[in-house]
Amino acid sequence: MKALWTAADLQAATGGNLARAFECTGVSIDSRAIGKGELFVALIDRRDGHDFVSDALVRGAAAGLVSRRPDNVPADAPLLTVPDTLAGLHALGRFGRARFGGRVAAVTGSVGKTTTKEMLRTVLGAFGPTHASAASYNNQWGVPLTLARMPPGDAFAVIEIGMNMPGEIAPLARLAAPRVTLITAIEKAHLGHLGSLCAIADEKAAIMEGLVAGGVAVLPADTPALSRLERGAGGRETRLFGERANAWARLITATADADGTDVVADVDGARVSFRLAAPGRHMAMNAVGALAVAATLGLDVTRAAAALAGFAPMAGRGARRCIRTRGGKALLLDESYNASAAAVRAALGVLELQAGRRKIAVLGDMLELGEHGASEHAGLAPAVLAGADLLFTCGSLMETLFRAIPPARRGAHAADSAALAPIVAEAVRPGDAVLVKGSLGSRMKLVVDALEHTDH
């Protein structure tokens, strides 16, 4: 495999000390998943990556990026030493972005950013080699890692940028230096850390600080925070997507059924029709945002829409799977990766579309809501009653919702997902449709795993 990083580039990027020359085919921060020839970056977080340098080298890493020599590596081990490994990773990302010859799009938003990033990977991939973030690599290590992995000759790159606390987006956006930015939506995610919807909008608007000269921001037309986002643009060119009549990229119709959504949209005057293998109006809106980015990059909208035909959601973000249960099969809607009130309502809307014998919602706590936690959870009751026949919950916050619905709709409540998982697995019957959703910290994948590995 051709080297992605030469010794000279690594040294030029980081200013670090090379023990000896080497080349790298990629960059990784996980010693367990290291690829042959990759550079292992020893980050220090809850665990010290220096403790895993030796294991990474044994597994085939070309070298380690370290801030000190680990005790358990040979004296002649291939190491690149820098004062701080996270700063070193950022330096690699900055160098990787500077040498990239293609066009970069960056995505943020309270909901939908990872799905939209994957839609953009699909769309742009129809026009040329496209690099995009793995999974949800959108934080202080995920963004520079994505940039450090970019093949210099690719035509496009899609960078997802997220945040948990104020002030996180702007430096990552400047690192990515996009040609186009997209804000998917402004909702009450991370409300506990930011305090208000206005503060959330301001933080999301900071992605526009990274735009290169002449760059364009694509904004959600239908958010009440639009005027705040437009002020945050600071005079940069903006284009709107959404359902508003004046939207540059407008969703005209989204007709959803149990298996997908038929979409009709108008993007800069071009009418397009396509079908997503993803039910829900929110999926259609994500697709229109992706098409707006493609059109802003000067790409043919009809061809871009054709590339989206059949797009299906990923594991943890709406993937549909058949599972075995006692005496037959059931449908699993895997939304286990993350949750906000808006996303839970959208997922319950998809559950409502299903033709299941019973529609079962399994919900874990939505986190980082601060003093708004109880009200945000209780406020989901109408959506649960509309979309689900039976509710299972876990976590102290979801207990508020569990108590807010009629007893006839209550399945069971447990302290955490580990306790809830076997209860749900035992309760599901043939023909049921089961939605599993919650914040990442609620570990709802334990419920998904229990459902997928139940042997009846």
Side-chain angles (χ1 to χ4, degrees), residues 344 361-365 384 391-394 398 401 435 437 444:
V344 172
V362 186
L363 304 179
D365 279 353
V384 169
L391 175 68
F392 292 82
T393 58
C394 62
M398 273 299 170
L401 172 62
L435 165 70
K437 193 164 183 64
M444 298 306 288

Side-chain angles (χ1 to χ4, degrees), residues 91-284:
L92 292 179
R94 192 172 298 108
F95 191 95
R97 174 63 185 94
R99 70 181 181 179
F100 183 66
R103 288 172 282 178
V104 176
V107 181
T108 194
S110 301
V111 293
K113 55 184 173 291
T114 301
T115 296
T116 305
K117 178 258 297 182
E118 290 301 320
M119 287 180 171
L120 276 168
R121 186 203 297 269
T122 300
V123 167
L124 300 182
F127 296 89
T130 299
H131 177 75
S133 316
S136 290
Y137 284 12
N138 60 25
N139 61 6
Q140 62 175 344
W141 56 260
V143 171
L145 180 62
T146 300
L147 296 170
R149 289 172 165 177
M150 287 198 306
D154 276 8
F156 305 99
V158 188
I159 312 299
E160 180 181 339
I161 301 179
M163 62 90 185
N164 293 105
M165 303 292 288
E168 292 182 341
I169 287 182
L172 296 177
R174 287 192 286 267
L175 194 66
R179 174 69 180 81
V180 182
T181 59
L182 170 66
I183 298 175
T184 59
I186 303 297
E187 299 288 351
K188 295 178 181 178
H190 310 298
L191 194 57
H193 290 158
L194 284 100
S196 70
L197 207 60
C198 288
I200 292 170
D202 289 344
E203 179 63 19
K204 297 300 184 183
I207 193 173
M208 294 181 279
E209 295 183 24
L211 280 167
V212 298
V216 179
V218 178
L219 305 178
D222 307 307
T223 177
L226 178 59
S227 61
R228 202 169 189 97
L229 295 179
E230 289 177 324
R231 286 197 299 273
R236 301 173 182 90
E237 182 181 353
T238 62
R239 293 176 178 176
L240 304 182
F241 80 99
E243 296 184 83
R244 280 176 46 168
N246 67 335
W248 186 79
R250 182 163 65 95
L251 175 62
I252 298 172
T253 61
T255 307
D257 54 40
D259 301 312
T261 308
D262 293 311
V263 184
V264 179
D266 185 295
V267 183
D268 191 26
R271 181 69 60 95
V272 292
S273 302
F274 56 97
R275 180 172 174 82
L276 301 169
R281 195 172 196 83
H282 61 297
M283 288 292 187

Side-chain angles (χ1 to χ4, degrees), residues 5 27 34 52 71 93 123 150 247 268 305 340 363 374 378 383 391 413 434 443:
W5 286 94
V27 183
I34 196 80
F52 305 98
D71 295 333
V123 167
M150 287 198 306
D268 191 26
S340 65
L363 304 179
L391 175 68
H413 177 79
V434 187
R443 303 175 66 212

Side-chain angles (χ1 to χ4, degrees), residues 319-333 354-360 424-425 427-435 451-452 454 456:
R320 298 156 50 85
R321 296 194 287 277
C322 183
I323 55 172
R324 297 192 330 175
T325 187
R326 189 185 303 277
K329 296 179 179 179
L331 174 68
L332 170 65
L333 304 178
Q354 306 309 309
R357 169 180 167 266
R358 296 181 302 174
K359 299 167 187 178
I360 300 173
V424 173
V428 174
R429 294 291 180 266
D432 288 344
V434 187
L435 165 70
L451 288 169
E452 291 191 316
T454 299
H456 290 300

